[in-house]
Amino acid sequence: MKKYIKPLIKGAAALLVLFFLAEAVILYRDYQRESALLNADPVGVAFDFDLLAEKAKKLAEQPFVPLENDLPEALQKLDYDGYRDIRFKREAGPWYGLHKPFEVQFFHAGALFQNSVRINEIIHGKSFPLKYSLTFFDFGRNKFNPKYFTDIGYAGFRLHYPLNTNDYFDELVSFLGASYFRALAEGQKYGLSARGLAIDTAVATGEEFPIFKEFWLKRPRWRDDAATVYALLDSPSVTGAYKFIIRPGHNTVMNVEVRLFVRKDINKLGIAPLTSMYLFGENTKNKFDDFRPEVHDSDGLLILNGNGEWLWRPLDNSKNLRISNFSDENPKGFGLLQRDRDLSHYLDFEAHYEQRPSAWVEPIGSWGKGTVELVEIPSAQEIHDNVVAYWVPDEKAVAGQELSYSYNLHWFNDLPAEKIPGDITATRTGIGGVSGMLEVDKRKFVIDFDILNMKEEVEQGIATLEVSASEGEIVKKTLAYNPLTQGLTAYIDFVPNGKISELRAVVVKKGRNISEVWSYQWLP
């Protein structure tokens, strides 16, 4: 046996030496490439987050200047198919083939994306412009001559990463249009989006859409497990410096640091906004002529408030605008979730709504008093995002003020927070009272709770249902064991009085919540 040990040790040592030599070669090649870039443009501009914040502050002291649309006419008039025919050539990308864990690709300006943005690269603490280059793109069947496209910038960019397998660089995160961005975790398809900021959403005077006008991408190093992106936000009311540290995985996590500089008084400031689509689902009574049972990117708003209470608000698409406010102090988290992961509930084998991400905002530090606001806009098409959720501070933002926020934004498969069981998995509605008796003055709500092994406690009255309504009357409530789900189902009969009513229901055992709080807004 001993005679085999020495050769094994020598072989292992040789492999280890080869591994470190390969690593050294890769690092040396990276150093050579970076040195060549630095020598090609030795000026560079010193860059860090504090310098970006100073840039945003100075910008706020100047009048707002909208981005100029100076694209060539051929790009301005591009139709949908023509724009889709412009493809980024991966092999020509600035980070391709560098043995890096991340690659960057650019979106071409044109069609719907009329405004271009500046994109820079950070190498060793210095910023260098990533200038527009025809070599990055294949223009497909388009008939225009691209040689006249000079220094037009880009519409946005996306980062790629081997998220699902080691040999394929999946799209990980995309920044495109205004201050919108979206990301993916393992095994997911794009769905909801986030925004840098929301201003005067659902206000009669109209919404203001801030833009990310310039980006800085930190050039990744060998074996980096995170990508860093900086952005400069601009709008008539505010400027901002943003830093995103993006860690991909089973849950993709963005650490977001924000510094805002207010140009003029803001009526309603929305922090960490999430934007999604809900067309119809199990509780929707606004009928759609569609073969699919459900169509949505998200099906509910989940909140963990400062008191440690979990609330679930199922989304809906009614005929009227719905605005819901959840007052809080120092919230612990909120997010838009795609909780229903059953393909048979969607029957869409192209869109795969069951694979859409959920997103969770985890505040860092004290956010003070404010409101989680949910806006649900009536919509007739799934191509439109009609759901927005964000945090609104009680204290108004006034001209000259500087504000700072930090939060982790989780694009997740598994909720990144420990919570009580009792997830609300379904909400259904219909005519109230006894089935078949057409008691049209009543509405019935049926709520499924994922609380297992509670049949005896329910039958013995140990676990009970607590229900309340801010307007109207709760005339009947029942909590029962559900043999199909093996959980619990609540049946609630509600008589409205013609006013907006906030309904709440929760399963309680010995004076403590053992489920999420079901929250529902009834519109007359």
Side-chain angles (χ1 to χ4, degrees):
M1 184 68 182
K2 290 183 178 179
K3 66 179 181 179
Y4 298 110
I5 294 177
K6 284 187 176 181
L8 285 172
I9 292 174
K10 288 182 178 179
L15 287 173
L16 195 60
V17 169
L18 286 173
F19 173 78
F20 282 116
L21 283 174
E23 294 264 315
V25 168
I26 291 170
L27 289 172
Y28 179 68
R29 286 178 177 173
D30 283 350
Y31 172 78
Q32 283 184 315
R33 290 188 179 101
E34 290 176 359
S35 296
L37 286 169
L38 291 170
N39 291 332
D41 187 358
V43 178
V45 178
F47 183 90
D48 61 25
F49 190 48
D50 289 332
L51 291 171
L52 177 59
E54 188 62 29
K55 183 182 182 77
K57 183 178 181 179
K58 290 179 179 178
L59 185 62
E61 296 168 355
Q62 304 167 14
F64 173 70
V65 178
L67 288 179
E68 291 185 5
N69 178 8
D70 54 359
L71 290 180
E73 185 177 2
L75 294 176
Q76 292 185 38
K77 294 184 176 180
L78 265 183
D79 60 16
Y80 176 78
D81 291 329
Y83 183 76
R84 280 176 58 86
D85 221 25
I86 303 177
R87 290 178 169 82
F88 189 88
K89 294 190 291 188
R90 179 194 174 201
E91 295 78 5
W95 294 353
Y96 176 77
L98 299 185
H99 303 286
K100 306 290 188 183
F102 299 93
E103 291 183 4
V104 61
Q105 299 184 16
F106 305 121
F107 293 104
H108 205 284
L112 293 175
F113 307 105
Q114 296 283 317
N115 294 320
S116 59
V117 298
R118 292 189 295 272
I119 300 177
N120 307 279
E121 184 178 26
I122 304 168
I123 303 174
H124 298 314
K126 287 190 174 183
S127 169
F128 302 86
L130 284 166
K131 296 180 180 179
Y132 175 81
S133 173
L134 290 174
T135 61
F136 288 157
F137 298 98
D138 180 345
F139 293 90
R141 294 164 294 181
N142 286 294
K143 302 299 183 184
F144 50 69
N145 190 342
K147 72 178 183 180
Y148 297 109
F149 303 165
T150 57
D151 197 26
I152 61 173
Y154 302 103
F157 69 93
R158 57 183 180 252
L159 297 181
H160 290 246
Y161 178 85
L163 188 61
N164 297 299
T165 63
N166 290 329
D167 56 357
Y168 183 80
F169 278 68
D170 303 275
E171 191 167 336
L172 170 68
V173 59
S174 165
F175 287 81
L176 179 64
S179 68
Y180 285 85
F181 59 96
R182 56 184 184 169
L184 294 169
E186 187 180 284
Q188 295 180 346
K189 297 182 181 297
Y190 274 140
L192 83 168
S193 301
R195 280 194 269 167
L197 208 61
I199 297 178
D200 290 344
T201 305
V203 172
T205 54
E207 184 169 3
E208 180 179 310
F209 288 90
I211 58 172
F212 285 140
K213 65 185 298 181
E214 189 168 3
F215 293 94
W216 291 261
L217 315 179
K218 185 178 179 181
R219 189 178 183 88
R221 305 304 301 271
W222 175 238
R223 294 193 178 279
D224 277 358
D225 64 352
T228 303
V229 173
Y230 300 87
L232 176 64
L233 180 134
D234 195 16
S235 82
S237 298
V238 67
T239 68
Y242 283 70
K243 179 180 180 180
F244 303 88
I245 300 177
I246 307 163
R247 287 186 170 84
H250 184 67
N251 287 359
T252 290
V253 185
M254 293 181 175
N255 175 257
V256 186
E257 190 173 347
V258 183
R259 297 185 197 174
L260 300 174
F261 303 89
V262 184
R263 267 198 179 103
K264 64 180 184 179
D265 296 355
I266 299 174
N267 180 28
K268 182 165 64 175
L269 181 65
I271 304 298
L274 302 173
T275 301
S276 193
M277 180 276 294
Y278 185 97
L279 192 64
F280 60 90
E282 58 205 8
N283 60 311
T284 304
K285 295 305 171 185
N286 187 11
K287 296 297 184 182
F288 286 84
D289 189 12
D290 197 301
F291 73 92
R292 299 167 295 180
E294 301 184 41
V295 174
H296 49 75
D297 286 333
S298 304
D299 54 11
L301 169 69
L302 183 65
I303 299 173
L304 175 58
N305 65 25
N307 293 324
E309 184 179 59
W310 290 93
L311 298 97
W312 175 257
R313 168 63 63 90
L315 299 179
D316 202 357
N317 180 12
S318 64
K319 296 178 180 179
N320 302 296
L321 177 71
R322 304 164 73 101
I323 302 177
S324 306
N325 294 287
F326 302 86
S327 296
D328 201 0
E329 183 173 0
N330 295 326
K332 296 179 180 178
F334 67 90
L336 292 174
L337 276 60
Q338 183 74 316
R339 183 167 271 178
D340 191 340
R341 297 296 184 182
D342 191 333
L343 174 59
S344 67
H345 292 182
Y346 302 98
L347 297 180
D348 192 324
F349 308 118
E350 182 179 359
H352 281 287
Y353 287 109
E354 81 284 354
Q355 296 179 23
R356 302 301 169 103
S358 296
W360 181 252
V361 176
E362 177 193 3
I364 298 174
S366 173
W367 280 20
K369 293 183 178 181
T371 301
V372 175
E373 183 166 280
L374 172 68
V375 178
E376 298 167 278
I377 304 167
S379 179
Q381 293 178 283
E382 63 198 273
I383 60 174
H384 301 301
D385 282 346
N386 62 325
V387 177
V388 191
Y390 43 79
W391 171 256
V392 182
D394 277 357
E395 185 177 342
K396 298 291 185 182
V398 296
Q401 190 176 19
E402 298 181 12
L403 302 170
S404 295
Y405 289 91
S406 294
Y407 55 96
N408 289 323
L409 178 54
H410 303 261
W411 307 81
F412 68 89
N413 286 291
D414 299 326
L415 182 69
E418 291 186 14
K419 71 181 295 292
I420 60 173
D423 289 1
I424 294 167
T425 57
T427 297
R428 293 175 288 275
T429 67
I431 294 174
V434 179
S435 298
M437 298 306 294
L438 300 180
E439 299 178 49
V440 294
D441 62 318
K442 301 183 180 72
R443 295 299 300 173
K444 187 180 293 291
F445 296 93
V446 181
I447 311 158
D448 289 341
F449 295 91
D450 186 19
I451 308 177
L452 306 178
N453 305 316
M454 293 290 291
K455 182 178 180 179
E456 292 185 4
E457 284 90 337
V458 170
E459 292 174 348
Q460 295 170 9
I462 298 173
T464 60
L465 181 68
E466 291 187 357
V467 186
S468 64
S470 62
E471 295 287 346
E473 182 182 2
I474 304 296
V475 294
K476 188 176 181 180
K477 61 177 183 177
T478 304
L479 184 65
Y481 171 74
N482 186 324
L484 183 63
T485 65
Q486 299 183 344
L488 302 181
T489 297
Y491 301 87
I492 301 167
D493 280 336
F494 167 66
V495 178
N497 63 359
K499 300 179 180 179
I500 296 175
S501 183
E502 293 289 342
L503 308 177
R504 284 170 56 97
V506 61
V507 180
V508 176
K509 179 180 178 181
K510 297 181 180 179
R512 297 183 62 183
N513 293 357
I514 60 169
S515 77
E516 297 171 343
V517 176
W518 175 80
S519 172
Y520 193 92
Q521 185 183 75
W522 167 260
L523 293 180

